[in-house]
Amino acid sequence: MKGGRAATTTMGERLRFEAVSAERGGRLLLHDIDFTVEPGEIVGLAGRNGVGKTTLLQLASGAFAPAAGRVLIGESPVRSLARRAIARRIALVPQDLHVPFPFRAGELV
């Protein structure tokens, strides 16, 4: 998936975006996003640079807080979960991943 990102959920919990908006530096990056990723579903994000793919994944992983709305894993707000709990539930595969060791792709995943 050139130029894209991918995400999936595990543990039988859905990932939900409810009326999510995101801002950085006073600039609106995403506005009123609503969608759900069902358990086991794989979602690919494709689009040109600057449309919000990375921002959406940062919201999903709890690395970035929404300016409005909620991001939930199951019934829990992502930002309320510990990093380890999020990592057990969401897998993210970034476009550019720099690994300092010579791992094979299967070993890395």
Side-chain angles (χ1 to χ4, degrees):
M1 179 174 38
K2 187 172 176 131
R5 311 281 192 270
T8 185
T9 62
T10 61
M11 298 182 69
E13 297 174 303
R14 64 179 50 143
L15 172 65
R16 291 182 301 174
F17 290 78
E18 297 178 344
V20 172
S21 294
E23 295 178 0
R24 274 211 181 130
R27 182 173 170 240
L28 184 64
L29 303 175
L30 298 171
H31 177 67
D32 204 26
I33 302 295
D34 283 297
F35 75 93
T36 300
V37 179
E38 295 295 337
E41 184 175 24
I42 297 173
V43 176
L45 302 174
R48 65 183 195 277
N49 290 342
V51 297
K53 299 180 301 289
T54 299
T55 299
L56 195 67
L57 293 179
Q58 289 173 336
L59 290 164
S61 68
F64 182 47
R70 300 186 318 158
V71 180
L72 304 160
I73 297 177
E75 298 302 319
S76 302
V78 170
R79 299 277 296 178
S80 73
L81 298 170
R83 301 295 311 151
R84 174 168 254 150
I86 294 169
R88 286 187 184 130
R89 291 169 173 85
I90 296 178
L92 300 174
V93 181
Q95 178 180 357
D96 296 317
L97 181 64
H98 301 287
V99 180
F101 303 102
F103 290 113
R104 293 186 193 138
E107 293 170 329
L108 183 60
V109 172

